[in-house]
């Protein structure tokens, strides 16, 4: 079914993130990030934010991170962003004692 959706999106020139409901991540410089199609915030700390998505947990690491907007399935993050990756959920409290 996913291959069918991808082919349909390509033929109709519809963005993949819309059809597949996968996250769309836009990073501006090293200080602003917009995540669309997220499934909720898993963890929050000024040095790490973890967001759930259809593809797994998205982790953002940096300094002075803050969530400046959350509405529907859109999340905006600001701060000094050092690293963005997909992976396992970490225990943020243990990670940044």
């Amino acid at each position: 079914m996913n291959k069918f959706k991808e082919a349909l999106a390509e033929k109709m020139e519809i963005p993949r993130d819309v059809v597949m409901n996968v996250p769309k991540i836009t990073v501006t410089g090293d200080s602003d990030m917009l995540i669309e199609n997220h499934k909720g915030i898993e963890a929050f700390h000024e040095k790490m934010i973890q967001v759930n998505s259809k593809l797994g947990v998205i982790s953002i690491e940096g300094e002075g991170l803050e969530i400046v907007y959350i509405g529907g399935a859109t999340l905006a993050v600001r701060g000094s962003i050092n690293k963005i990756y997909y992976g396992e959920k970490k225990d943020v409290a243990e990670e940044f004692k």
Side-chain angles (χ1 to χ4, degrees), residues 37-50:
N37 298 330
H38 72 88
K39 304 291 183 197
I41 299 168
E42 291 287 327
F44 174 78
H45 186 277
E46 68 178 8
K47 293 186 179 187
M48 177 185 275
I49 298 173
Q50 293 183 321

Side-chain angles (χ1 to χ4, degrees), residues 70-90:
I70 186 165
T74 302
L75 174 74
V77 175
R78 183 168 291 144
S80 179
I81 299 169
N82 300 326
K83 192 186 296 185
I84 304 162
Y85 58 93
Y86 289 93
E88 297 296 316
K89 182 180 173 192
K90 292 184 179 179

Side-chain angles (χ1 to χ4, degrees), residues 2-90:
N2 283 344
K3 294 229 185 256
F4 172 75
K5 285 183 180 181
E6 286 183 56
L8 181 63
E10 187 174 318
K11 288 238 185 255
M12 296 183 70
E13 298 181 8
I14 300 171
R16 185 173 175 254
D17 60 295
V18 172
V19 174
M20 302 296 293
N21 200 29
V22 293
K24 178 179 179 182
I25 301 172
T26 306
V27 180
T28 306
D30 64 353
S31 61
D32 291 295
M33 179 177 191
L34 185 69
I35 302 174
E36 298 174 76
N37 298 330
H38 72 88
K39 304 291 183 197
I41 299 168
E42 291 287 327
F44 174 78
H45 186 277
E46 68 178 8
K47 293 186 179 187
M48 177 185 275
I49 298 173
Q50 293 183 321
V51 180
N52 199 13
S53 79
K54 185 175 180 180
L55 300 178
V57 175
I58 302 166
S59 296
I60 304 112
E61 290 186 17
E63 297 291 328
L65 299 176
E66 60 181 342
I67 297 170
V68 293
Y69 174 80
I70 186 165
T74 302
L75 174 74
V77 175
R78 183 168 291 144
S80 179
I81 299 169
N82 300 326
K83 192 186 296 185
I84 304 162
Y85 58 93
Y86 289 93
E88 297 296 316
K89 182 180 173 192
K90 292 184 179 179

